[in-house]
Amino acid sequence: MNKKTIATLLAMAYFAPALAHAETAPQGYKLEQVLLMSRHNLRAPLANNGSVLEQSTAQSWPEWDVPGGQLTTKGGVLEVYMGHYLREWLAEQGLVKSGECPTPQSVYAYANSLQRTVATAQFFITGAFPGCDVPVHHQEKMGTMDPTFNPVITNDSPEFKQAALKAMETQREHFKLDDSYQLLEQIVAFKDSPGCKEKQVCDLTAQKDKFSANATEEPGVSGPLKVGNSLVDAFTLQYYEGFPVDNVAWGKIKTDQQWKVLSQLKNSYQDTLFTSPQVARNVAAPLIKYIQKALAGNDNKGPKITLLVGHDSNIASLLTALDFKPYQLPEQYERTPIGGKIMFQRWHDADNNRELMKVEYVYQSTEQLRKADVLSLQQPPQRVTLQLNGCPTDANGFCPWDKFTEVLAQSVSQAK
């Protein structure tokens, strides 16, 4: 995307109509507090030259305009759009005022200390509060993982390690991936790859995954699941970035069904490593403690709006650790989409004098990301109401506040 195009898109975001109403709350309900747990937006592939990608195919990979892992310019534009939309919705609910900068105490932005997460937070703030002095907080040393967002194993006991390895192996057994591997091998011409010719690794379905669960490290895997995740991640990012169709996976992904089959590899990788309860409760504990303090530990005297920006591993482990029910995200292949946000909403029901919690997944669809659709109340992102097993929701998606705080407390106590 050239600078003129980006400038035009940003201008459209600010002047887009905002007339239609998003989901309306029941009469007498007032939004009091929001916490957004966000995944960073569009980045260049993490696995770049000399990596899994080059070992897996003899075909040339397209060039990106930023180094591997960094937020792209389009990723910034997409995040501005999301910030703009959520600002309009929050203003409609009365949590902020249109056309005014928020007070310093009312908005708090906190990101993991990597370029893609800090930049995502900055672009969101630009879209939500243009021209306002809202700082993005992060560790001083960039390029290092902040403990709040670092999904590493903290239990160094042999018993936990064995339980974690067993849990990941069991998770992996749930997924039937032969069709996904076979399609992937066709797309990358795997039998002609350097990995096949030099290391005699020529059939992904014949290889075994090997898991790791070492203290101070993220849960890990080597083998076909890691290869499949890296390749499908690269294709997905190419599609989001808007590469010409002939350049996305060399023009070999032609149908929606093919995307679904391939995306099973990426989703299975994440689910295997981060969504077994044993692992999720451990690696998500620092983040859950932060959320507990931000939402439940201040008697509603903290920031009205908290923005946290981390990674898909944060969201996946968080949802499992808090025991959310299984969910589906329409119009998306990813279970934790680029730029997607878990939106915790604290509401007050004045008629019954009670506090309530509502949790939604707010995200851009696959096509909204590729086309860089401007977001507004009239053209909103996707919104899916999530449900907690420990906090049953009513017909409108609200659950009792005291039940929600019990879920947080129980998750913290169970973390080992």
Side-chain angles (χ1 to χ4, degrees):
M1 299 176 75
N2 60 40
K3 292 182 179 179
K4 185 176 180 181
T5 302
I6 292 164
T8 301
L9 289 170
L10 289 171
M12 289 169 64
Y14 291 126
F15 295 105
L19 303 175
H21 288 260
E23 301 173 28
T24 53
Q27 184 71 30
Y29 281 36
K30 185 177 187 301
L31 184 62
E32 294 186 326
Q33 193 179 20
V34 162
L35 184 143
L36 297 161
M37 178 59 229
S38 177
R39 183 186 176 191
H40 59 78
N41 216 296
L42 183 55
R43 56 163 170 77
L46 290 166
N48 44 28
N49 293 342
S51 67
V52 172
L53 301 189
E54 287 198 340
Q55 285 293 307
S56 300
T57 183
Q59 300 169 96
S60 299
W61 290 94
E63 294 292 326
W64 290 72
D65 62 359
V66 296
Q70 290 200 4
L71 194 77
T72 68
T73 303
K74 183 178 179 182
V77 172
L78 292 167
E79 199 61 31
V80 168
Y81 291 171
M82 182 64 87
H84 172 79
Y85 163 75
L86 282 171
R87 163 63 181 264
E88 292 300 311
W89 183 77
L90 292 169
E92 185 182 55
Q93 307 309 319
L95 200 62
V96 297
K97 293 183 179 179
S98 295
E100 293 185 11
C101 288
T103 61
Q105 295 78 27
S106 63
V107 178
Y108 190 83
Y110 174 31
N112 190 26
S113 42
L114 302 181
Q115 184 272 350
R116 61 184 177 274
T117 43
V118 172
T120 293
Q122 291 170 335
F123 279 112
F124 179 91
I125 294 298
T126 297
F129 308 107
C132 300
D133 185 15
V134 179
V136 172
H137 300 269
H138 58 85
Q139 281 190 151
E140 184 176 354
K141 188 176 181 181
M142 290 289 287
T144 60
M145 294 290 286
D146 184 315
T148 299
F149 299 99
N150 197 4
V152 297
I153 291 169
T154 57
N155 189 327
D156 61 359
S157 72
E159 294 80 10
F160 179 85
K161 181 175 182 176
Q162 289 305 311
L165 290 172
K166 179 62 176 176
M168 287 188 279
E169 290 166 359
T170 301
Q171 286 284 91
R172 172 61 186 88
E173 291 170 1
H174 292 161
F175 307 115
K176 308 303 179 186
L177 300 175
D178 282 4
D179 289 348
S180 302
Y181 284 130
Q182 289 165 8
L183 176 57
L184 184 62
E185 287 176 356
Q186 293 171 18
I187 290 170
V188 301
F190 198 62
K191 286 183 167 55
D192 297 324
S193 69
C196 175
K197 292 181 177 180
E198 297 167 11
K199 301 177 183 177
Q200 286 71 54
V201 178
C202 304
D203 181 357
L204 291 172
T205 61
Q207 306 300 314
K208 294 292 184 182
D209 292 307
K210 183 178 180 181
F211 297 97
S212 62
N214 300 319
T216 74
E217 297 177 7
E218 289 190 26
V221 62
S222 59
L225 193 59
K226 182 174 182 178
V227 173
N229 174 69
S230 297
L231 291 167
V232 176
D233 180 62
F235 299 153
T236 304
L237 296 171
Q238 291 170 6
Y239 190 80
Y240 290 162
E241 182 69 11
F243 280 56
V245 174
D246 288 347
N247 288 356
V248 177
W250 310 282
K252 296 179 181 179
I253 306 176
K254 300 182 182 297
T255 68
D256 182 67
Q257 181 60 26
Q258 286 177 314
W259 275 113
K260 288 179 180 177
V261 170
L262 290 170
S263 295
Q264 289 175 6
L265 291 170
K266 192 168 186 297
N267 293 331
S268 298
Y269 171 88
Q270 184 187 85
D271 284 348
T272 298
L273 294 187
F274 292 104
T275 67
S276 66
Q278 295 94 327
V279 174
R281 284 195 291 262
N282 182 264
V283 302
L287 180 60
I288 292 173
K289 288 176 183 176
Y290 187 94
I291 291 172
Q292 182 186 39
K293 183 178 179 182
L295 286 176
N298 50 40
D299 295 324
N300 213 19
K301 294 178 182 177
K304 291 182 179 179
I305 301 164
T306 299
L307 171 68
L308 306 177
V309 183
H311 307 271
D312 52 358
S313 53
N314 294 134
I315 290 177
S317 57
L318 172 70
L319 293 178
T320 298
L322 294 181
D323 197 18
F324 277 87
K325 294 182 179 180
Y327 62 91
Q328 296 291 326
L329 300 183
E331 299 184 52
Q332 249 297 346
Y333 304 118
E334 294 190 281
R335 280 179 48 76
T336 54
I338 282 280
K341 292 161 177 58
I342 307 298
M343 182 161 67
F344 296 89
Q345 309 157 40
R346 181 173 180 168
W347 293 78
H348 180 70
D349 172 12
D351 293 347
N352 296 290
N353 191 28
R354 57 178 182 157
E355 299 292 305
L356 299 166
M357 169 57 59
K358 185 173 185 178
V359 187
E360 290 181 276
Y361 212 139
V362 184
Y363 63 98
Q364 285 144 304
S365 71
T366 301
E367 290 307 305
Q368 284 177 322
L369 290 167
R370 179 165 174 82
K371 295 175 181 176
D373 287 345
V374 177
L375 303 178
S376 66
L377 293 180
Q378 192 173 38
Q379 296 176 300
Q382 313 301 307
R383 292 178 66 156
V384 170
T385 300
L386 301 179
Q387 296 180 303
L388 288 149
N389 280 311
C391 193
T393 57
D394 61 21
N396 294 305
F398 294 88
C399 79
W401 174 254
D402 59 343
K403 291 291 186 184
F404 174 71
T405 58
E406 287 176 12
V407 169
L408 289 176
Q410 183 177 16
S411 178
V412 169
S413 69
Q414 289 177 337
K416 295 178 181 178

